[in-house]
Amino acid sequence: MQTISDGPRRRGAVSLCLLLTAGPLMPAQTGNGVSLRIKADQITAKMPPTFHGLMTEEINYAFEGGLYAELIRNRNFKETVPARQNRQNPEQSRAAKEAKDLVNWSLVEERGGVGSMELDTATPLNNAVPASLKLTVSQASGNQSVGVANEGFWGIPVKPDTAYKAMFYAKASAGFSGAVTLSIMSNDGTMVAATAQVPKLSENWQKYEATLTTGNVKASAGNKFVLSANRPGTIWFGFVSLFPPTYKNRVNGFRRDIMELLAAMKPQFLRFPGGNYLEGNTFDTRFNWKNTIGPIEERPGHMDDAWGYWSLDGMGLLEYLAWCEDLNMEPVLAVFAGYSLRGQRVRSGPELDVFVKEALEEIEYVTGDTNTTWGARRARDGHPAPFHLRYVEIGNEDYFDREKGSYDARFTAFYDAIKAQYPNLLLINSAGFSAHALTTRTPDVDDDHYYRSSGEMAAKANDYDSRPRNGPKVFVGEWATRVGSPTPNLEAAVADAANMAGLERNADLVMMHCYAPLFVDVNPGAMQWTTDLIGYNTMSAYGSPAYWAQHMFANHVGDSVLNIVASGIPYREWQQMPRRMGGPPGSAPRAADTSGLTRPTPMPTPIPEMFFSATRDTANGTIYLKMVNRSGTPQQVNVSISGLTSIAQAGKTITLSSANTSDTNSITDPHKIEPVTADVTGLGTEFTRTVPANSITVLELNGR
């Protein structure tokens, strides 16, 4: 029987437990169903203001070609990937050879035009962009032209009646009198969707801007962006950028369709910048926040070696904060703490002090007024008002640091320095509760991470019921049921909901949670991690069934958690098999690491098939009852509610279900599984509902 204590919760008390009877656990008898008692006048916890949130890092091309709306790939010509397979046609072999150091760029010679391109390290734009793209036009006149084309991230998306903002830095050789034509055209050159022109170039580096507007064209991804000239001469391009319309029209902003999916989730916080992306495999490839601020053409970018591709750093510190602002989220800032994934670490002392100072400056950039050094720098970068910050995480998954006492010493140095300057900030321990890595300082919050099969997620969904209440609060900073690829299926979504019911019931302890990874580009070759919440390609985006589970919980939650008691729950036997999870997002796998190996349990374990939670909005009296059914058959639930004068007969249900647990959403079928809303009657202080097989149900009750 799954039960919740009738009395109020107290510090250190276990308020919910899983009771096993002396004999084998048996399913509820047909016709009896599950008995559910809700004591609406007994509040077991207040819902935290930052409970449902988002976790993000640069993985699966989350920002490059994803949320960050930049369409040009390798816009500063620094992305050079050795032995990259050239995708050009055989007749373009000469151009392919010349483009070997210009990944994603190619030479375009039209109607007899002749020219060449190369990477020119002798003519840099600035210190951050130490080379330029040199285009030599040897022969061109009239309708002949020579140019350079960028293939974008799996194509340049063309949509009808859309304005694209182009920006580039260029200079021309003395005597060059031609214009530069900007075009978005099909890969085969037969269709030009939009054009613009810059009539004249300077002999010195200069910034140029133009708008390209499509008409009534067919939406497609098989396009390229071309900069071309029809006069002989030499042109150097120092930086090239192209943006579609962005969410809330933010400059250097975000892709609209993905942001709309996120906004619908009503997230309350954002944990950034990662994850593995924060630490990098080495110190040199970490997220160095100072390199990510200021004009985009002055950001050097870096190799995201944790996941194997180049990061423009266009998605920088201020962009993360702007993301929070656009969606009304609180920032949860993770600072680099002197440890990288391949074992580089800094011992406490003068060397670590450099990184402690860097973290303090980063916090000042976020929160400082314009009288501070870094607050003034943020204002110069375009945001005079400081951001509200309450949470700072020290590192990421530092339980992977095997050196005894290393994280303890590093955490202490950061803790003391940050608390001295910002005493109200809540500091998060990235090593988690189970690691017991900290002895000299007590963190405000422990960050737990787990990635599980659906059976394991259900088996452990009630684990926080028995976590001691006399220690730090809990932030479940990364978690997911890993079933389905590239995005989760219904089986994963239902197990996720079982876990969220447990998190919600334990909101006195668990103050925040966020699924990971958040994004995956489903184009071929883009994915590094399977089972990701939101999928997209060049043209469109969709929410997985697990996305809709998150959506349902976050959109139907009150401010108070109610006492709830369930009996008659059906069980199934489950045995965990040997597995090796490797490293989740935020933890790189190690060849010799056996810590992820779990041996099978000696005996099958009975696990619940149904999970419940109940919250109430005290302002309007609405009760949100969540019912999760993992079984393959419909289940009858007999509900009894006490502590209120009355419950209205009419209410509403929101249900996510499908006949097959392997059913899922995809680019080609994005709406296959989505919540269905229906009006219901026959409710009251006592009523019976039948919940579908393999389902998540939210029942809205109006109480007084």
Side-chain angles (χ1 to χ4, degrees), residues 283-624:
F283 289 172
D284 290 340
T285 57
R286 74 187 189 282
F287 179 80
N288 187 343
W289 71 270
K290 291 181 182 178
N291 287 342
T292 75
I293 60 175
I296 56 174
E297 65 270 19
E298 296 177 6
R299 302 182 192 182
H302 73 285
M303 185 64 183
D304 177 14
D305 59 353
W307 300 111
Y309 58 91
W310 182 259
S311 173
L312 296 170
D313 283 337
M315 189 70 186
L317 178 57
L318 189 56
E319 283 72 32
Y320 285 110
L321 295 167
W323 184 4
C324 291
E325 193 170 67
D326 282 351
L327 296 186
N328 195 29
M329 303 181 291
E330 282 198 33
V332 176
L333 175 67
V335 298
F336 180 73
Y339 177 78
S340 288
L341 292 165
R342 294 301 178 221
Q344 283 186 320
R345 65 178 60 80
V346 179
R347 291 179 173 82
S348 58
E351 189 178 355
L352 186 63
D353 291 344
V354 173
F355 296 106
V356 173
K357 181 174 182 290
E358 186 179 275
L360 291 172
E361 292 170 335
E362 187 173 11
I363 294 168
E364 184 176 282
Y365 184 91
V366 176
T367 65
D369 61 34
T370 54
N371 294 320
T372 64
T373 299
W374 288 100
R377 173 58 194 270
R378 183 198 62 245
R380 290 199 304 273
D381 290 341
H383 200 285
F387 293 90
H388 175 65
L389 181 68
R390 287 198 296 165
Y391 301 101
V392 173
E393 183 157 9
I394 311 303
N396 171 75
E397 291 185 344
D398 277 84
Y399 48 75
F400 276 114
D401 186 352
R402 306 299 187 190
E403 183 173 291
K404 185 176 181 180
S406 171
Y407 184 59
D408 196 11
R410 290 186 289 107
F411 182 89
T412 297
F414 280 86
Y415 182 98
D416 290 350
I418 294 172
K419 286 288 188 180
Q421 195 163 330
Y422 302 96
N424 294 326
L425 285 180
L426 301 176
L427 301 186
I428 302 171
N429 157 33
S430 77
F433 171 79
S434 61
H436 303 293
L438 301 181
T439 60
T440 58
R441 298 292 183 273
T442 300
D444 299 299
V445 184
D446 285 331
D447 186 358
D448 286 357
H449 293 184
Y450 45 82
Y451 295 86
R452 294 168 176 164
S453 67
S454 59
E456 185 182 14
M457 192 65 82
K460 297 180 179 295
N462 300 323
D463 277 6
Y464 288 108
D465 305 347
S466 55
R467 176 78 69 88
R469 261 60 179 177
N470 57 357
K473 296 289 187 178
V474 173
F475 171 30
V476 187
E478 295 183 26
W479 71 273
T481 303
R482 294 200 65 200
V483 183
S485 177
T487 51
N489 59 20
L490 180 66
E491 178 184 344
V494 175
D496 284 348
N499 186 57
M500 283 190 285
L503 299 178
E504 192 171 86
R505 288 196 318 272
N506 286 279
D508 65 316
L509 174 67
V510 179
M511 62 190 308
M512 299 185 290
H513 81 93
C514 47
Y515 186 104
L518 182 59
F519 299 129
V520 61
D521 189 325
V522 301
N523 280 301
M527 182 175 67
Q528 295 87 51
W529 182 268
T530 59
T531 315
D532 310 286
L533 199 66
I534 293 172
Y536 50 84
N537 64 7
T538 309
M539 298 299 295
S540 62
Y542 69 94
S544 66
Y547 163 87
W548 289 110
Q550 299 276 335
H551 183 281
M552 291 170 67
F553 270 72
N555 279 268
H556 303 92
V557 60
D559 51 47
S560 301
V561 181
L562 303 182
N563 182 298
I564 184 170
V565 178
S567 59
I569 292 176
Y571 282 73
R572 78 167 74 163
E573 289 188 344
W574 171 78
Q575 179 170 294
Q576 183 167 331
M577 300 304 293
R579 62 181 175 86
R580 186 163 183 158
M581 292 292 289
S587 59
R590 292 162 171 76
D593 181 11
T594 59
S595 63
L597 188 64
T598 303
R599 299 183 182 279
T601 52
M603 295 289 292
T605 301
I607 59 173
E609 292 277 69
M610 299 194 72
F611 301 83
F612 304 92
S613 67
T615 62
R616 188 183 186 211
D617 187 326
T618 53
N620 59 28
T622 303
I623 293 174
Y624 300 100

Side-chain angles (χ1 to χ4, degrees), residues 143-163:
N143 64 355
Q144 294 177 333
S145 66
V146 178
V148 291
N150 188 273
E151 63 189 41
F153 296 88
W154 292 275
I156 301 289
V158 162
K159 296 184 179 181
D161 303 313
T162 301

